[in-house]
Every structure is written in structure tokens, then in C-alpha cells.
Amino acid sequence: MNLMKENSPNQNRIYELDIIRGFALIGIFLVNIFNFIQRAGIGSQLLSGGNWIDIIFTGKFYAIFSLLFGAGAAIFLSRAKEKGKPSILFIRRMVVLAVIGFLHSLVWGGDVLLPYALVGLVLFALHKVPAKVLFKVTFSLHIIGILVNVFAYDWLYGGKTDMPPILDILLLITALTSFLVYFIEGYTLMNMDVLEKLKMRPRMHKWLLITLGSISVISVIAQFMITHHKPAHILLIISQLPLMLTYILLLLWLVKKKRGSYILYPLQAYGRMAMSNYLGQTVVGIFILPMLIGYFSPSLIIYGVCMITWITQIIISNIWLKYFYYGPVEWIWRCLTYWRLVPLLK
């Protein structure tokens, strides 16, 4: 039997989603730390090695995080319906998230929790639309967003002026709906039982992984080889979706294997405490990282702080969840959502 299923502290959770969420947190901090160190006074001209971060991490891991938020919304609404009051619970859940996000934004301008809460309310307004219809609409918006950003390159980065009004409007629409698109895709994919279908159809899973993985590897290699900004940037935009899906499919394939399951097991607790760990990364980036400036090189600070933070948070998360049902911020969120004290200590 799979190690994670045997030892799961909450049998109602989908452990694959927790692992993917934990994996996404790793990439998110690596992307954010460049913003943290610049906020601490290190100019971008002193930072090196950011190109590979953009190619492999930037955009992909927030996209995964957003996709999982939509999947989590689908699970929450399904269970709230069983309790007979999905509306009040979900709205209260988003309001509490908005408050947490607002408080977080006072410390860190790169907060995503407040936008997530607002988009979550929009998602709730659409949740009765058939999943397949929503998926077709959002996937179309996704493709349109890619095309719009490709066609707008000359105006955004090439110094060209007088952008056509229709392109300007489309850029605004895609910018405003970027989170929503991933949320709804995650929501609809969960309602369409995609995880179960991948489990039931391993051959389909295998060929999807091979196809998207091949596209991703070729695009990543090409981006490292291309020296001109325009084709490299366009390829970066186009490759984001297949690379993000490759990460997810690869993780889902690995957790099916005994060795892969064993290696990825610590990420389950890390993902279950995603909000606590996300906010903890801000504490490290805003308050601890600046104290290291002047003592170490920027590169050593970036990668050293990332490694120490990842390892520390993963260890603490696994220890914490041996004694408690939820992470500290997750527990507060849950108590305020259900408007009662829920058990914390096991």
C-alpha cells in the first residue's frame, strides 16, 4: 500500500494535491526571494542567474498554486453542500482569506491571498455553470491571453508606440482574468474527476507526460540557446502552460511509484500547511534576509536562504502535523469559516 495513504492524518484529504501544493511553494519562494532581496536594497544589476529562474520557475509555480486553489474550492463546495450550507461557508471562507491577505499585503506588496479571495468570490458566482462549459470558456481565454501577449510584444518591450485599442483592451482583460482562468480550470478539472481518470488510464497519463514533457524540454533548451529577447520571450510565454502541466503530471506519476512516493512524502505536510508556510516565507524575506546583507554575496543569500527555509519549513511542518490537525494559520482560517473552535491538538 502507498505510504502516504497509510499514514495520512486526514483520510478525507487528497494527498496528491498536498504534495503538488508543497512543490509549488518551493518554486514560489525562489521567485519571490529576488523581490525580497531587491526590497532590501540590492539592485537588480548585482543579481545574476535570474534567467534560468524565469525559464523554469517564474509564472509556472504561481499558476500551479492558483490551479490548486480552484481545485480546493471545488472540494470545499462539494463538502459544504453535504452540510447543507455551501453559500455562507464559502463566502465566509473567502472573506476571512481576504482579511488575512489584506494584513499580509501591509507587510509584503507581492501578496496573492487578497486577490485569491476576490477571485474566489467570482468563482463562487460561476460555480453552478456546468464544469465542461466553464472549462471551454476559460481554456479559450487562456489561449487568447497567450496570443495577445505574443502579439503585444513590440508595444510592451520593443519601444513601439500607439498600441491598437483592441489589443490594449485584450491585454487588460487577460491581466484581470489571469488568476480567475487558473482558478476555474482547477475547479472544473476537479469536478470532471481528472485525477481519478488519470489513475484509471495510466497509458493516457504516460503519453500526456511524454508529449508535454518533450515540448517542455525542447522549449527550455531553446530558451537557453536563443540570444535575441523577442523570440526567447515569446517562447517563454507559450511554454508556460505545457511546462506547468508537465510538473503536475510528473509529480502525479512519481507518487504512484514506491520510491517516488517515499521521496515526495515530506512535501505532503508542507503542502497541508501551505498558508502558514507562505506567510512564513514572507517573514524570512522581509525581516531575516535584510540582516544578511553586507555579510554574504547576493547569490549566496538567495540560494542559501531558500535552501535553509525550505528544509526548516518542511521539517517543522512534518513535526507539527504529528501533534496537530492543522497548521496555525489554517486552524484560524477554519475556525472563522465555521464560526466555532475546531479541535487543533490530536
Side-chain angles (χ1 to χ4, degrees), residues 219-250:
S219 69
V220 166
I221 293 172
Q223 287 174 72
F224 280 114
M225 295 177 66
I226 294 172
T227 56
H228 296 290
H229 186 266
K230 183 174 182 178
H233 184 76
I234 289 173
L235 191 55
L236 179 70
I237 294 171
I238 294 172
S239 65
Q240 178 170 308
L241 181 59
L243 186 53
M244 177 199 73
L245 293 174
T246 297
Y247 287 144
I248 294 173
L249 289 168
L250 181 59

Side-chain angles (χ1 to χ4, degrees), residues 127-149:
H127 81 281
K128 291 187 178 180
V129 178
K132 289 184 178 179
V133 174
L134 273 179
F135 182 76
K136 289 176 182 177
V137 171
T138 53
F139 189 74
S140 299
L141 284 172
H142 206 136
I143 300 302
I144 291 170
I146 292 172
L147 294 174
V148 167
N149 278 279

Side-chain angles (χ1 to χ4, degrees), residues 207-219 242-243 245-246 249:
W207 284 108
L208 279 172
L209 180 56
I210 290 172
T211 303
L212 291 170
S214 299
I215 294 170
S216 299
V217 169
I218 292 169
S219 69
L243 186 53
L245 293 174
T246 297
L249 289 168

Side-chain angles (χ1 to χ4, degrees), residues 36 85 105 109 111 163 170 212 274 321 325:
F36 287 136
K85 41 187 175 182
S105 70
D111 169 74
M163 181 184 292
L170 287 172
L212 291 170
L321 290 177
Y325 285 113

Side-chain angles (χ1 to χ4, degrees), residues 223-296:
Q223 287 174 72
F224 280 114
M225 295 177 66
I226 294 172
T227 56
H228 296 290
H229 186 266
K230 183 174 182 178
H233 184 76
I234 289 173
L235 191 55
L236 179 70
I237 294 171
I238 294 172
S239 65
Q240 178 170 308
L241 181 59
L243 186 53
M244 177 199 73
L245 293 174
T246 297
Y247 287 144
I248 294 173
L249 289 168
L250 181 59
L251 287 169
L252 291 174
W253 180 78
L254 286 172
V255 296
K256 294 178 183 178
K257 310 298 178 181
K258 184 177 181 180
R259 185 171 296 178
S261 173
Y262 181 80
I263 292 170
L264 294 173
Y265 177 67
L267 290 182
Q268 185 182 6
Y270 193 43
R272 284 184 61 196
M273 289 178 54
M275 192 186 300
S276 296
N277 286 317
Y278 171 70
L279 296 175
Q281 289 174 356
T282 298
V283 172
V284 171
I286 297 295
F287 300 107
I288 297 176
L289 183 146
M291 293 189 290
L292 304 176
I293 304 295
Y295 294 98
F296 304 98

Side-chain angles (χ1 to χ4, degrees), residues 38-245:
Q38 289 183 62
R39 186 181 186 275
I42 300 297
S44 58
Q45 69 276 6
L46 298 177
L47 302 175
S48 60
N51 185 51
W52 73 274
I53 303 289
D54 289 339
I55 293 172
I56 298 174
F57 291 90
T58 303
K60 291 78 174 174
F61 285 76
Y62 267 120
I64 294 173
F65 211 57
S66 302
L67 201 73
L68 291 173
F69 188 93
I75 295 168
F76 184 88
L77 279 170
S78 174
R79 292 174 182 169
K81 285 177 184 176
E82 294 173 2
K83 301 178 188 297
K85 41 187 175 182
S87 300
I88 186 63
L89 288 178
F90 189 84
I91 292 171
R92 192 185 293 152
R93 181 177 174 83
M94 291 302 104
V95 170
V96 174
L97 181 63
V99 172
I100 295 172
F102 172 72
L103 295 175
H104 182 228
S105 70
L106 298 178
V107 179
W108 165 233
D111 169 74
V112 297
L113 300 180
L114 179 56
Y116 275 19
L118 299 177
V119 173
L121 292 172
V122 177
L123 173 63
F124 178 74
L126 300 171
H127 81 281
K128 291 187 178 180
V129 178
K132 289 184 178 179
V133 174
L134 273 179
F135 182 76
K136 289 176 182 177
V137 171
T138 53
F139 189 74
S140 299
L141 284 172
H142 206 136
I143 300 302
I144 291 170
I146 292 172
L147 294 174
V148 167
N149 278 279
V150 168
F151 288 126
Y153 177 89
D154 290 334
W155 287 274
L156 293 174
Y157 306 101
K160 203 171 179 179
T161 57
D162 299 323
M163 181 184 292
I166 184 64
L167 192 57
D168 203 8
I169 292 170
L170 287 172
L171 272 174
L172 178 62
I173 292 171
T174 55
L176 292 174
T177 60
S178 58
F179 277 146
L180 181 62
V181 165
Y182 283 116
F183 281 15
I184 294 179
E185 285 173 347
Y187 174 83
T188 54
L189 288 172
M190 184 56 61
N191 280 332
M192 291 160 63
D193 290 325
V194 168
L195 281 179
E196 288 302 316
K197 288 175 181 175
L198 287 175
K199 288 178 183 178
M200 299 297 293
R201 301 176 186 177
R203 182 171 294 182
M204 181 182 72
H205 187 171
K206 175 184 174 182
W207 284 108
L208 279 172
L209 180 56
I210 290 172
T211 303
L212 291 170
S214 299
I215 294 170
S216 299
V217 169
I218 292 169
S219 69
V220 166
I221 293 172
Q223 287 174 72
F224 280 114
M225 295 177 66
I226 294 172
T227 56
H228 296 290
H229 186 266
K230 183 174 182 178
H233 184 76
I234 289 173
L235 191 55
L236 179 70
I237 294 171
I238 294 172
S239 65
Q240 178 170 308
L241 181 59
L243 186 53
M244 177 199 73
L245 293 174

